[in-house]
Amino acid sequence: MSTPYPFTAIVGQDDLRLGLLLNAVSPAVGGVLVRGEKGTAKSTAVRALAALMPEVPVVPGCRFSCDPASPDPACPDGPHAEAAGVSRPARTVELPVGASEDRLVGALDIERALSEGVKAFEPGLLADAHRGILYVDEVNLLHDHLVDLLLDAAAMGASYVEREGVSVRHAARFLLVGTMNPEEGELRPQLLDRFGLTVEVSASRDTDERVEVVRRRLAYDDDPEGFAARWAEEEGALRERIAAARVLLPRVVLSDGVLRQIAATCAAFEVDGMRADIVMARTATALAAWAGREEVTADDVRQAALLALPHRRRRNPFDAPGLDEDKLDQTLDEAGPPENSDGDDQPDPDGGGDDDGGGGGGGGVPPQVDGEDRTPPQGSEGDSPSPAPEGAPDAPGRPAGGEQQPVASAEPFRTKMLSVPGLGEGAAGRRSRARTEHGRTTGARRPQGALTKLHLAATVQAAAPHQRARGRAGRGLVVRRDDLRQATREGREGNLVLFVVDASGSMAARQRMSAVKGAVLSLLLDAYQRRDKVGLVTFRGKEADVALPPTSSVDAAAARLESLPTGGRTPLAAGLLKAHDVLRVERLRDPSRRPLLVVVTDGRATGGPEPVALAGRAGRLHRSEGTASVVVDCESGYVRLGLAGELARELGGTAVTLDELRADSIAGLVKDVTAAGRAA
């Protein structure tokens, strides 16, 4: 086994270390979600935490890590006779993003269950993680069906495996730790709420700190065991502090004044449900125990809010995480501080009450062991969007350099569902019909690889003609491997929704562009809810640009849309050809994910000879390749040319107006996109 990087050797990342350590002190806090850019020691810190966790007493030989003091009466390996337990290190179990359902929850031997009536069960990762840490790297990319299983296990503290009437249940209580890069997409709200705490991490901009990171990492890579030995004393001291805090934790007093502050804070930030109040109370208690105190202070409450509330206050996917710290301080003052809130006896001299402008994602009591305390400055470079490319000279009659400043989008609304026709086989989602692992059963087939979803009737039908030849004598059915049938199911898939947005001068009227942005934002929100990938192509002046390559981050698309300038000519054909290039590359990367092209335009085209005819030829190119498409017609006024409808016919798709796009429109309930070429 490789030597893990020492937890105490991690430079900076105070919020990350604090969030993990609080969960080590009090697992009831509920885990931690680590959000941040790549290369910021997220995975390193999580893997290093296991070495600091106290050892776990288990029943000898139990595959489900039952506690000898109170074994699970429903344990599949039980019942357990009274016996002395053995101790083992706490486990960190990693859940791969592409894991199967059986790998997560375990699997039953269906053949033995049918023929012998034996519950032969092979435990999964949830059983391995019981009383330990379940770590999910890139948790935002986890498939929906695995998210559902995690939600069930986290809520009930148990895992259930059922296959055609045969069921197994075992305890599954674990510390859930997830890491993610927000640029790759946000996390499903139900799973987001299951994480007790969240922390934001970023690379330090301090030169000395970056030098120290590189120095330590190189030293570890050269000699992992020797490097770990040099930090053994600090690791031991931190391990003892965690153990002492665990002993102190039951004695920590949570006064009525503190509870009032917690309740007032959660109400002020309008978080949903009561889980935030409970998590804040447990976090504040853990903070006090970590500081060696028996009473929770106002500073503990403030720090708990910074860790427990940012990911719970988002009202929609496009809200930035974080808290208004001025509002937080005002709420705590109005609720009234508890009597003993001076916090002068905190062991950490730079406790969580200081506001260093760290971005609202945390910023707190750094768990320093090696004496270092260098908080990286939170620079703002790179936060603002890049300026749009300089446009070409405007058409005659318009002032040169007629680019307009970006306008705010109108309020988003619920849209009709736009779906790709036919039956796909892409990643699970909520948009178009597809063959999936979950959904309604539509038939049966021979299994390809491991059997995951048994079609019982088809299996019995396949085995029945051979019973006499197999010498069946008893009541049991003689089932062979060749008899097993896999259920085929139909559900929904996520698609690649590529937006092609007209940002030319013909769209530049402020009120009109605001409505257009509101419509695209509404479609982006719909794409987020339906688990789609999205991309954004814009065209104006003389060319088209890929404003956002296809990504799972709908937030990024919304941010690019808000900063989109307008003005200049209307190179519609260039926009469609750029979209064709994007889709060609994406078909090579992910051939199973079907695209949906959404063109937002009034249909006008300028620049070059016969621009409208050129746009029509570009539309027919998409149609010839079977790309499903829809044109959102933004034309307004009394005189309408109908060019957007003509473009939709060239694309082989459907045209909808901005009004028809609304779900509450009387134009119809659902707009299915016509497949390109079907009418040809």
Side-chain angles (χ1 to χ4, degrees):
M1 182 181 294
S2 60
T3 303
Y5 192 91
F7 191 88
T8 50
I10 296 172
V11 179
Q13 305 298 8
D14 296 334
D15 291 347
L16 169 59
R17 293 192 289 164
L18 178 61
L20 293 172
L21 289 171
L22 291 177
N23 277 277
V25 171
S26 175
V29 166
V32 59
L33 174 66
V34 186
R35 298 165 47 96
E37 58 198 32
K38 53 186 176 295
T40 48
K42 300 188 298 292
S43 300
T44 299
V46 174
R47 295 186 177 104
L49 178 66
L52 302 175
M53 300 285 283
E55 290 194 338
V56 179
V58 297
V59 173
C62 178
R63 297 175 298 167
F64 301 87
S65 302
C66 279
D67 187 347
S70 57
D72 182 6
C75 176
D77 284 354
H80 298 298
E82 292 187 8
V86 296
S87 294
R88 62 162 175 78
R91 292 173 179 162
T92 296
V93 177
E94 295 192 33
L95 171 60
V97 170
S100 66
E101 179 179 334
D102 286 348
R103 183 73 186 97
L104 178 62
V105 300
L108 288 169
D109 188 331
I110 301 297
E111 185 174 351
R112 291 189 64 192
L114 287 176
S115 60
E116 304 175 27
V118 175
K119 293 183 181 180
F121 181 71
E122 186 65 29
L125 295 177
L126 289 180
D128 293 341
H130 179 46
R131 305 175 67 201
I133 301 171
L134 181 62
Y135 170 47
V136 189
D137 193 14
E138 305 293 352
V139 64
N140 51 324
L141 304 182
L142 201 63
H143 291 302
D144 272 1
H145 67 285
L146 298 182
V147 171
D148 292 336
L149 294 169
L150 275 182
L151 289 173
D152 290 342
M156 298 183 294
S159 174
Y160 291 86
V161 183
E162 303 209 12
R163 294 288 188 273
E164 305 297 342
V166 181
S167 63
V168 172
R169 172 213 169 273
H170 64 83
R173 292 183 294 276
F174 45 81
L175 171 60
L176 182 61
V177 180
T179 57
M180 61 175 282
N181 185 347
E183 294 178 356
E184 297 173 340
E186 280 297 337
L187 195 60
R188 181 171 163 179
Q190 292 92 330
L191 183 57
L192 191 66
D193 188 52
R194 289 293 176 186
F195 287 98
L197 311 179
T198 184
V199 294
E200 299 278 342
V201 296
S202 60
S204 172
R205 301 296 183 259
D206 181 81
T207 302
D208 292 337
E209 194 162 288
R210 295 176 74 96
V211 168
E212 186 62 22
V213 170
V214 175
R215 181 182 292 117
R216 293 186 186 183
R217 186 69 211 191
L218 293 177
Y220 170 77
D221 291 341
D222 289 341
D223 182 11
E225 294 183 0
F227 183 82
R230 291 196 293 274
W231 290 88
E233 184 176 348
E234 287 82 353
E235 290 281 288
L238 187 56
R239 192 177 295 108
E240 291 176 2
R241 185 175 176 185
I242 292 173
R246 283 194 167 198
V247 172
L248 180 61
L249 185 66
R251 303 201 302 269
V252 175
V253 176
L254 197 66
S255 67
D256 289 343
V258 167
L259 287 174
R260 183 169 293 277
Q261 282 189 315
I262 291 172
T265 301
C266 293
F269 285 99
E270 299 180 343
V271 296
D272 295 331
M274 295 297 298
R275 183 174 283 114
D277 303 63
I278 297 171
V279 170
M280 269 191 67
R282 289 171 174 167
T283 304
T285 303
L287 281 163
W290 176 249
R293 289 181 275 102
E294 294 189 6
E295 188 166 353
V296 175
T297 69
D299 287 340
D300 295 330
V301 176
R302 185 183 192 278
Q303 182 63 49
L306 291 172
L307 292 170
L309 296 188
H311 60 302
R312 291 187 166 89
R313 60 157 296 276
R314 296 181 62 170
R315 311 312 298 176
N316 66 64
F318 307 134
D319 288 340
L323 291 182
D324 182 341
E325 296 195 27
D326 291 335
K327 179 179 178 180
L328 173 60
D329 291 334
Q330 180 181 353
T331 301
L332 293 174
D333 290 341
E334 291 175 353
E339 295 179 1
N340 298 321
S341 61
D342 52 7
D344 293 336
D345 57 343
Q346 295 188 34
D348 292 303
D350 47 357
D354 295 335
D355 182 3
D356 59 6
V365 189
Q368 299 296 337
V369 174
D370 56 359
E372 292 186 309
D373 181 18
R374 294 193 296 268
T375 302
Q378 302 294 325
S380 60
E381 63 257 33
D383 292 340
S384 59
S386 301
E390 192 73 17
D394 293 324
R398 294 177 187 160
E403 178 178 303
Q404 297 190 14
Q405 292 296 318
V407 299
S409 64
E411 284 295 316
F413 52 84
R414 190 167 64 89
T415 67
K416 291 184 174 69
M417 188 178 76
L418 306 174
S419 61
V420 178
L423 194 63
E425 295 182 345
R430 296 183 177 181
R431 184 172 297 277
S432 305
R433 294 174 54 228
R435 298 183 185 92
T436 61
E437 287 294 320
H438 300 268
R440 64 185 183 90
T441 300
T442 58
R445 61 175 174 80
R446 291 181 181 273
Q448 299 171 349
L451 178 70
T452 56
K453 300 290 182 181
L454 177 73
H455 195 296
L456 182 58
T459 298
V460 172
Q461 186 176 8
H466 308 290
Q467 295 305 294
R468 180 175 297 177
R470 293 173 182 173
R472 173 185 171 186
R475 299 176 59 185
L477 190 67
V478 181
V479 179
R480 302 288 166 79
R481 177 69 187 175
D482 290 342
D483 301 327
L484 300 179
R485 295 294 182 268
Q486 174 87 21
T488 57
R489 302 191 174 191
E490 182 179 309
R492 294 280 173 176
E493 68 177 358
N495 298 108
L496 167 59
V497 182
L498 182 62
F499 294 91
V500 182
V501 180
D502 185 348
S504 65
S506 66
M507 302 283 288
R510 297 185 68 85
Q511 185 174 1
R512 184 180 181 192
M513 197 61 196
S514 177
V516 169
K517 283 188 174 183
V520 178
L521 194 64
S522 303
L523 289 168
L524 284 171
L525 180 59
D526 182 68
Y528 168 82
Q529 295 168 339
R530 300 190 187 282
R531 313 288 185 265
D532 295 317
K533 289 181 68 174
V534 296
L536 179 62
V537 172
T538 63
F539 58 92
R540 56 184 291 274
K542 285 186 176 181
E543 59 185 15
D545 293 311
V546 181
L548 183 72
T551 175
S552 297
S553 178
V554 177
D555 289 28
R560 301 291 172 88
L561 178 69
E562 286 293 332
S563 61
L564 179 66
T566 57
R569 296 182 178 179
T570 313
L572 177 57
L576 294 173
L577 291 174
K578 181 67 73 173
H580 178 267
D581 291 342
V582 172
L583 294 180
R584 176 178 55 82
V585 173
E586 286 302 308
R587 285 190 179 99
L588 296 175
R589 290 177 176 171
D590 189 358
S592 64
R593 188 181 289 269
R594 298 187 295 163
L596 172 61
L597 183 68
V598 179
V599 185
V600 184
T601 181
D602 56 9
R604 292 178 171 85
T606 59
E610 299 184 343
V612 175
L614 186 61
R617 288 198 294 272
R620 291 194 293 275
L621 180 61
H622 284 281
R623 180 176 182 173
S624 67
E625 296 187 352
T627 303
S629 60
V630 60
V631 177
V632 180
D633 185 358
C634 303
E635 192 173 29
S636 60
Y638 293 106
V639 179
R640 295 176 181 260
L641 303 179
L643 295 175
E646 181 61 31
L647 176 62
R649 285 188 287 274
E650 296 286 8
L651 287 165
T654 302
V656 295
T657 65
L658 290 175
D659 289 337
E660 291 172 341
L661 194 60
R662 293 179 177 272
D664 54 2
S665 168
I666 61 174
L669 296 178
V670 176
K671 279 282 186 181
D672 286 323
V673 181
T674 304
R678 296 184 81 180

